[in-house]
Amino acid sequence: PTDQTILPSFRDIRAKTLRALYGLSDGNHTLQLYIDKSPKGSVDDSIRNLVDLLNSHPSYATLSSCSGRIAMFDPSASATADGVGNDIDEREGAGDNVGSNIPSGKGSGRWALSSHATITAEQLIDILDDNSTDSTSDNNTPLIFKHEPLLLHVAASCLPRAEKLLSLALSLGFRESG
């Protein structure tokens, strides 16, 4: 075996990825499902071309992705299971189903905001106003503001291909790659 030998598990990983994303195993993109392993469960519209480009290369397969998001978390709030909240993407029809009033999964609290799209200052002010009058929240506890960049999980056919993609990502400014 050489460094370029395709890892035994890669063929299966790639086939599963292509079936989930495109409904096919051969990369012929006629049925585009765009289902991935991200918490949202699908590829964000704004990075579909990038995901398609990576998956069109025979040495790579994307596993999960996120175009980036802006979020605010209220750690003091009592989470509810009704799904009513401040999901800007959902209100604006962007097709994102990130639940904001759904429990965080890591204890108490709720997402006061979660958006994969650009938000306006007015939308942010509305979220802050809503949070200040929310009966489930301790208004003296600061919200946690998060701005998360693009995220891609990519499987490579072999270590040299992984190193090549990692080198490219780092050279393009993706400092948190690894």
Side-chain angles (χ1 to χ4, degrees):
T2 68
D3 285 357
Q4 296 289 334
T5 301
I6 295 177
L7 298 170
S9 60
F10 179 74
R11 285 187 177 89
D12 287 340
I13 290 169
R14 180 167 168 74
K16 286 178 186 175
T17 294
L18 294 178
R19 269 194 308 275
L21 290 174
Y22 310 112
L24 305 170
S25 61
D26 65 355
N28 184 358
H29 309 314
T30 56
L31 178 61
Q32 298 180 346
L33 305 173
Y34 289 105
I35 298 168
D36 71 3
K37 294 180 182 179
S38 65
K40 182 181 142 202
S42 64
V43 177
D44 294 334
D45 291 341
S46 62
I47 60 170
R48 282 186 179 173
N49 288 339
L50 176 60
V51 168
D52 289 344
L53 178 65
L54 284 165
N55 287 319
S56 70
H57 194 286
S59 295
Y60 303 108
T62 60
L63 303 177
S64 70
S65 62
C66 176
S67 63
R69 72 174 178 163
I70 184 173
M72 289 187 355
F73 186 73
D74 183 351
S76 70
S78 302
T80 62
D82 65 1
V84 176
N86 295 315
D87 188 340
I88 296 295
D89 292 336
E90 193 173 294
R91 287 193 309 194
E92 298 304 312
D96 226 324
N97 292 320
V98 179
S100 55
N101 253 359
I102 295 173
S104 70
K106 296 183 181 179
S108 65
R110 70 173 176 86
W111 292 105
L113 165 70
S114 181
S115 178
H116 291 252
T118 303
I119 64 167
T120 66
E122 291 79 19
Q123 289 170 319
L124 182 58
I125 290 168
D126 287 346
I127 299 302
L128 294 171
D129 287 345
D130 289 350
N131 195 70
S132 69
T133 60
D134 186 345
S135 63
T136 66
S137 177
D138 174 0
N139 295 330
N140 295 322
T141 303
L143 296 175
I144 298 169
F145 179 81
K146 298 177 83 174
H147 180 264
E148 298 171 329
L150 168 75
L151 178 117
L152 288 169
H153 292 120
V154 181
S157 62
C158 59
L159 186 56
R161 291 292 183 169
E163 290 169 338
K164 189 172 187 172
L165 183 60
L166 176 59
S167 176
L168 177 63
L170 290 169
S171 73
L172 293 173
F174 293 99
R175 298 178 307 158
E176 303 300 320
S177 300

